[in-house]
Amino acid sequence: MVSAFVAAVFLAVGGVTAVAQDKSIMVASTTSTQDSGLFDYLLPLFKRKTGIEVKVIAQGTGQALDTARRGDADVVFVHAKAQELKFLEEGFGVKRYDVMYNDFVLVGPKGDPAGVKGSKDITAAFDAIRAKQAPFVSRGDNSGTHIAELKLWKEAGIDIDTAKGEWYRDIGQGMGAALNTAGAMNAYVLSDRGTWLSFKNHDDLEIVVEGDKRLFNQYGVMLVNPKKFATVKADLGQTFIDYLVSEDGQKAIAGYKIDGQQLFFPDAKHDPS
């Protein structure tokens, strides 16, 4: 009887310990936060500070939001504000916080067949690419970058579904794959600056258009609604969000650089969206 009682206590305590030690969360995030190397830099800092391990599902923004809609993530960290606000309106998120920004850049072959290099007008560049049917690679994955690209075609007065032909390559993959494809095809591609700076296979590609205010790229973070999904680790997830928008987290984001260039610029606000 004594041994059975001791075994029962041991199992009970062991179960509690196992739960207590499960200090991990799942974050559904855009590929740019992963491909840029930001998470490799930031998450160990967060774990040392809190003991919480962050596991990342890196997808296009649309896919990341859908992952969260299924309750398969605790936090979502993406960059397509209109879709993020829709996610909130649907009741899948609790609050949205601005975290950081960078910008998109148009990358293209150094030979510049569309003649757009040095322009500050991104829609004029898109129009020139379409007019000359210069090769263009689209992520085609409903990511934040893909959504931004489609918006720019529309602002250029181009119905890309009608206008695209063999010159327009829709690959349905992430930013790294899109850059590699553009390099192989001597094509243009819209990239977030962070992934471009961390990309090692530049070959004959370079930034040809940058600096247009329409290329602004904002990132936001949200806790998945625990009222929708009881599995959401709300306390741990909110701790991660609080870190990102805290002074320490914002300084860490600003401190991430490649070859002396800052990839992301912190802009957390006290009031969430």
Side-chain angles (χ1 to χ4, degrees):
M1 290 293 293
V2 173
S3 59
F5 175 76
V6 170
V9 171
F10 177 78
L11 288 172
V13 172
V16 171
T17 302
V19 172
Q21 288 178 343
D22 184 23
K23 292 186 67 175
S24 67
I25 59 171
M26 188 67 71
V27 174
S29 188
T30 172
T31 59
S32 59
T33 46
Q34 183 73 35
D35 291 349
S36 66
L38 177 67
F39 279 151
D40 289 338
Y41 161 81
L42 190 65
L43 298 186
L45 298 177
F46 174 68
K47 186 173 182 179
R48 283 199 294 271
K49 186 177 180 68
T50 65
I52 299 170
E53 180 182 1
V54 177
K55 301 173 183 177
V56 177
I57 306 171
Q59 302 171 301
T61 286
Q63 294 173 308
L65 289 169
D66 285 343
T67 293
R69 284 186 175 97
R70 295 191 297 270
D72 292 333
D74 303 295
V75 173
V76 62
F77 186 7
V78 289
H79 64 142
K81 189 169 182 179
Q83 288 203 1
E84 294 164 46
L85 294 179
K86 184 174 184 287
F87 180 84
L88 285 178
E89 290 169 5
E90 294 169 345
F92 288 104
V94 177
K95 293 178 181 178
R96 179 192 172 281
Y97 299 80
D98 282 337
V99 177
M100 62 191 187
Y101 70 91
N102 61 9
D103 62 345
F104 295 109
V105 293
L106 182 64
V107 172
K110 292 178 181 177
D112 191 25
V116 300
K117 184 177 178 180
S119 172
K120 299 277 186 193
D121 187 334
I122 187 63
T123 56
F126 271 42
D127 188 46
I129 291 168
R130 189 269 312 163
K132 296 189 178 182
Q133 298 197 352
F136 186 95
V137 173
S138 172
R139 283 181 55 173
D141 61 352
N142 198 31
S143 61
T145 305
H146 182 221
I147 291 166
E149 178 220 316
L150 295 179
K151 183 179 179 183
L152 291 171
W153 286 117
K154 186 175 181 180
E155 290 180 359
I158 298 168
D159 180 351
I160 193 58
D161 287 334
T162 301
K164 65 185 178 182
E166 291 184 4
W167 61 275
Y168 185 90
R169 179 71 63 87
D170 190 333
I171 65 168
Q173 296 184 62
M175 196 69 252
L179 286 165
N180 279 322
T181 302
M185 292 178 58
N186 278 325
Y188 295 93
V189 62
L190 188 71
S191 174
D192 68 282
R193 189 181 293 270
T195 304
W196 168 251
L197 289 174
S198 63
F199 186 63
K200 304 302 182 186
N201 186 26
H202 284 188
D203 290 333
D204 292 326
L205 297 176
E206 63 181 356
I207 293 176
V208 292
V209 178
E210 60 184 329
D212 190 318
K213 65 181 181 181
R214 290 169 290 192
L215 295 173
F216 179 77
N217 182 27
Q218 179 70 52
Y219 290 79
V221 67
M222 297 174 285
L223 180 71
V224 178
N225 193 346
K227 292 181 180 179
K228 285 269 189 185
F229 306 102
T231 54
V232 170
K233 299 174 184 177
D235 291 343
L236 299 182
Q238 189 62 48
T239 298
F240 179 58
I241 292 171
D242 291 344
Y243 171 75
L244 291 175
V245 301
S246 71
E247 184 176 354
D248 284 350
Q250 294 279 284
K251 284 182 178 178
I253 290 168
Y256 180 54
K257 299 179 181 180
I258 292 179
D259 296 331
Q261 296 190 67
Q262 185 173 333
L263 276 69
F264 299 96
F265 297 84
D267 69 342
K269 300 171 184 173
H270 293 296
D271 296 325
S273 301

